[in-house]
Every structure is written in C-alpha cells, then in structure tokens.
Amino acid sequence: MTAAQTLRVGMVGYAFMGAAHSHAWRTAPRFFDLPLQPELTAVAGRNPEALNGAAAKLGWASTETDWRRLIERDDIDLIDICTPGDTHTEIALAALEAGKHVLCEKPLANSVADAERMTDAAQAAADRGVFSMCGFSYRRTPALALARRFVDEGRLGTLRHVRAQYLQDWLSDENAPMTWRLDKSKSGSGSLGDIGAHSIDAAQWITGQRISGVSALTETFVPERPLAGNLVGLGGHGDAGADTPRGTVTVDDAALFTARFDGGPLGSFEATRYALGRKNAMRLEVNGSRGSLAFDFEEMNVLSYYDATESPDAGFRRIFVTEPEHPYAANWWPTGHGLGYEHGFTHQVVDLVTAIATGRQPEPSFADALQVQQVLAAVEASAADSSRWHNVKN
Ligand code: SOE
C-alpha cells in the first residue's frame, strides 16, 4: 500500500481519551470503506515504562517520550491531541506549522485567546490543504445525528426550548482525590468545560443556532481534596484522614446557566459531577412548535420523539436508532443490536479521514470550537458578575 493511501497518525497522550481514540483509529477502517487507511504510527508520552505498555495494549507501532518528535517525523501525517487542555495550543500550533493535520480533544483550549490563536493557524493551514477538527464526539452518536436530521427536516417546526443536562457523580465522595481536571491551570475549568462544552456544542449543532447570551451560576462544593499520591495503600477514598495532604480545587464543580439562541429559542444548561447515581447522563431535549426530541446518553441508542401532528395520545415515540437508514448504523450490526460510547469516536475518525481525503474542512472546525470557548467564557464571566447577563462574543 503506497504512502498516498495511508494516513499515518501520531497521538499525544494515552489515558482515557487516548484509549478511545486508539480504538477508533484501529476500528474505523474495519467497518467503513475509508479513502485513506489510518496507521497507528507512534504514540507520545513522558513516562517510558507506562508509554511502552500503552503502545503495546493500544496498538501503536512506535513510541516517543517527547511529542515534538512526532512533529519532526516525516512518517506522520496527522497529530491526535489527547492531553489536558493546557497543552493543546502549543502542540496544535507546532503540528499545523509542520503541515500535519490535527485532531484536538475538547475543549479546544483553556482560554479564548489560545483558541483564537489555534483557529487563526488552522485557517491558514487549511489554505495549504492541512486540516483540523475538534473532538466533540457526541455529534457522532447516531441518535444525536438523527436529532439533527429531524430538526433540519423541519419536523419540530419553530424551536422554542433547548434543555441540556450533563450529569455525572464521580466527585460526590468528598475524599475522591485531586486530578488534573480539578486544577484550572491544567483543565481551564471544571464541569463547565469538561462536560458542559459537549452540551453546548451538541445543542448548537442540532439546532443550527448559536448561543448569543447567558446568565450563569457556578459552584465549587468541595474546595480541597486529598492529593492522589497520598492515598496509595489506603483502601477507598474514605481512608483519607484529616492528616492526609490536600490540594486546592481551583475549578467549578457545577455550572448552571440560562441562554438565548440567536434564532429565538431559550436554553437551560446544567453540568455537574455531583448528581449521585447519574454516571454519564448527557441529556438533551428540544421543544418546537410541531414536536419535541429527547435524548439521554445513558440510553444512547434511543431517540424519543413527540410528533404534534399525530393524535395527542400518541405520546413520545422511542426510536431505536439502529435501522440501516439511520446515521452510521448501516455499517454495524443488524437492527436492534445497539452501539456504545466508543462508536462516536470511530464515527469521528470516519468523518475526519473522509474530509481530509476529499479536501473538505472537517467539522467541528477549530472556529466552531472557538465559538464554544466564547460561550464558556461568557458563562464564567456571568457567574463572576452576580449572574448578570453576558452576551457571547463572536
Ligand atoms: C469527564 O469525566 C469525561 O471523561 C469527559 O472528559 C469526556 O469528554 C466525556 O466524553 C466523558 O466524561
């Protein structure tokens, strides 16, 4: 197979997102006819022992202990950034400058200023045929892609409400240890950017409208947490004693905001890691003048649809989004067998590789992700300003 038919990937980071992306790079060519064949050429990380173990487990052909080597190598065509947000800008700018395509995990950056720099570089690189995408993978969940199709087809009529919640509970235990996600210098924000960003992107993409202004509340419920290294040898989190060293949480634990979309609908958004019992409940409901849609990622193969043109007692219909005519579904299993969290990442690779091969700007672009960053910034500004209304800069 000649190099022209392959897309040789270098990935930075190999934790949760690195594992999900690796699965997607391996799986996409086995279930979809791709115009370029991805190759898992190299993975970069700082800890040689852990890196070698991850490369063997996740299927990478080589390793580098400095991500800059991936940029220098002429056997790598695309850089996949799966690291915390404080590293996204430096890596993406270097990769684009070196003529390498970029897939960057969300949120794009830890600040609007950095997101703007990345967007400017991406737009200049696209003029040279070097493309980039931001990894808002929930767009590629078949049920949410079907929701977008329904809105595009006018089945909901004029949109009135968007109701988005992203509920997790992994921080409900006050002794759950510090992680990079709780350190603003690494993550940029807490629930807001980590999971709220998914809701913002999905809501804007499905409705085809952008958030123009917000009023927000944020809260940090547990201001200090045990430093993870001090829990080694202790049982669960509950063993952290009063004398266990603790670190300061510098991000939001929960964010709530109301929003206005530029086409008129009103929005309500909630992101939290304290919704005990909710594990990954990314929920979205859209109400229009002719119907409603509702989705909950904890039942990710189902899209609920209320069609106001039917008899009122028809109620919400539960569509099992596995029919061959549904987005992405024809390439997987017979109807009714269902897909999982990892399939959104595989579909993300399919769409990215296809866009690159056809010379088309992949979506969401860095410019799309910059707009999400603007919403995040407006939410934080409003929360710091007694929840006063803040318009979203565009
Ligand atoms: C947070 O726990 C998290 O891992 C996010 O960082 C991911 O983007 C989301 O897909 C699942 O939850």
Side-chain angles (χ1 to χ4, degrees):
M1 187 175 289
T2 64
Q5 294 171 329
T6 61
L7 183 71
R8 299 162 298 179
V9 180
M11 184 173 77
V12 188
Y14 50 84
F16 177 6
M17 287 300 112
H21 285 225
S22 302
H23 175 91
W25 291 116
R26 292 194 310 269
T27 307
R30 288 170 172 72
F31 285 85
F32 293 79
D33 295 329
L34 298 182
L36 295 172
Q37 296 307 303
E39 289 185 359
L40 284 72
T41 305
V43 58
R46 287 167 298 190
N47 177 322
E49 187 180 345
L51 174 65
N52 291 332
K57 180 179 176 186
L58 300 175
W60 292 87
S62 65
T63 62
E64 296 288 353
T65 53
D66 180 347
W67 61 265
R68 295 168 185 79
R69 277 286 304 134
L70 301 183
I71 309 290
E72 293 162 1
R73 285 176 56 163
D74 59 12
D75 65 339
I76 288 176
D77 306 307
L78 180 144
I79 299 294
D80 185 5
I81 304 172
C82 293
T83 49
D86 63 316
T87 62
H88 291 183
T89 305
E90 183 183 17
I91 298 171
L93 294 181
L96 291 167
E97 177 64 31
K100 298 187 191 299
H101 307 293
V102 175
L103 172 59
C104 182
E105 260 298 320
K106 43 51 63 185
L108 186 64
N110 284 357
S111 70
V112 167
D114 280 346
E116 285 172 337
R117 292 170 61 208
M118 295 168 79
T119 300
D120 291 346
Q123 288 167 339
D127 293 343
R128 306 193 310 269
V130 176
F131 294 111
S132 45
M133 175 198 267
C134 186
F136 284 108
S137 57
Y138 286 94
R139 290 182 176 210
R140 280 135 177 142
T141 301
L144 287 178
L146 185 63
R148 157 93 182 206
R149 186 186 293 178
F150 277 20
V151 171
D152 281 352
E153 290 169 354
R155 294 198 194 192
L156 269 60
T158 304
L159 304 186
R160 306 289 191 213
H161 288 284
V162 177
R163 199 164 295 105
Q165 302 169 316
Y166 200 149
L167 312 176
Q168 296 179 339
D169 71 357
W170 56 278
L171 284 180
S172 300
D173 176 351
E174 298 196 0
N175 285 312
M178 282 298 289
T179 81
W180 67 265
R181 281 185 165 89
L182 304 179
D183 174 355
K184 188 173 182 65
S185 68
K186 295 285 183 197
S187 61
S189 64
S191 286
L192 176 62
D194 185 28
I195 53 181
H198 280 300
S199 298
I200 294 165
D201 178 69
Q204 294 191 131
W205 180 67
I206 287 169
T207 61
Q209 301 186 29
R210 291 194 156 178
I211 292 170
S212 57
V214 297
S215 168
L217 280 173
T218 58
E219 182 58 75
T220 302
F221 298 118
V222 178
E224 289 189 342
R225 288 184 172 274
L227 295 175
N230 294 275
L231 293 179
V232 174
L234 297 176
H237 305 148
D239 295 299
D243 57 346
T244 304
R246 291 175 176 266
T248 303
V249 174
T250 51
V251 296
D252 60 279
D253 281 328
L256 285 75
F257 61 97
T258 56
R260 186 181 293 281
F261 286 77
D262 55 13
L266 298 184
S268 59
F269 290 76
E270 181 180 2
T272 183
R273 293 153 167 171
Y274 287 74
L276 258 179
R278 302 300 180 197
K279 301 307 176 182
N280 198 44
M282 190 268 194
R283 296 170 171 175
L284 199 64
E285 178 162 326
V286 184
N287 307 130
S289 58
R290 295 183 57 208
S292 291
L293 290 168
F295 170 81
D296 182 342
F297 191 80
E298 291 189 350
E299 290 187 290
M300 66 166 285
N301 290 286
V302 172
L303 180 66
S304 297
Y305 170 46
Y306 181 88
D307 181 349
T309 63
E310 291 180 335
S311 151
D313 58 20
F316 270 89
R317 188 187 313 165
R318 280 170 58 87
I319 301 171
F320 206 54
V321 188
T322 58
E323 299 302 317
E325 62 272 13
H326 289 153
Y328 307 105
N331 287 69
W332 296 103
W333 320 120
T335 182
H337 288 66
L339 300 181
Y341 174 72
E342 74 280 12
H343 289 85
F345 292 89
T346 300
H347 302 155
Q348 179 170 264
V349 162
V350 171
D351 292 344
L352 174 59
V353 170
T354 304
I356 287 172
T358 51
R360 209 169 13 87
Q361 172 57 52
E363 292 184 0
S365 64
F366 280 13
D368 295 327
L370 167 59
Q371 199 275 334
V372 173
Q373 208 81 39
Q374 294 280 22
V375 177
L376 299 175
V379 167
E380 291 195 303
S382 172
D385 182 21
S386 306
S387 301
R388 264 187 278 272
W389 189 262
H390 275 248
N391 290 322
V392 175
K393 295 184 179 65
N394 278 314

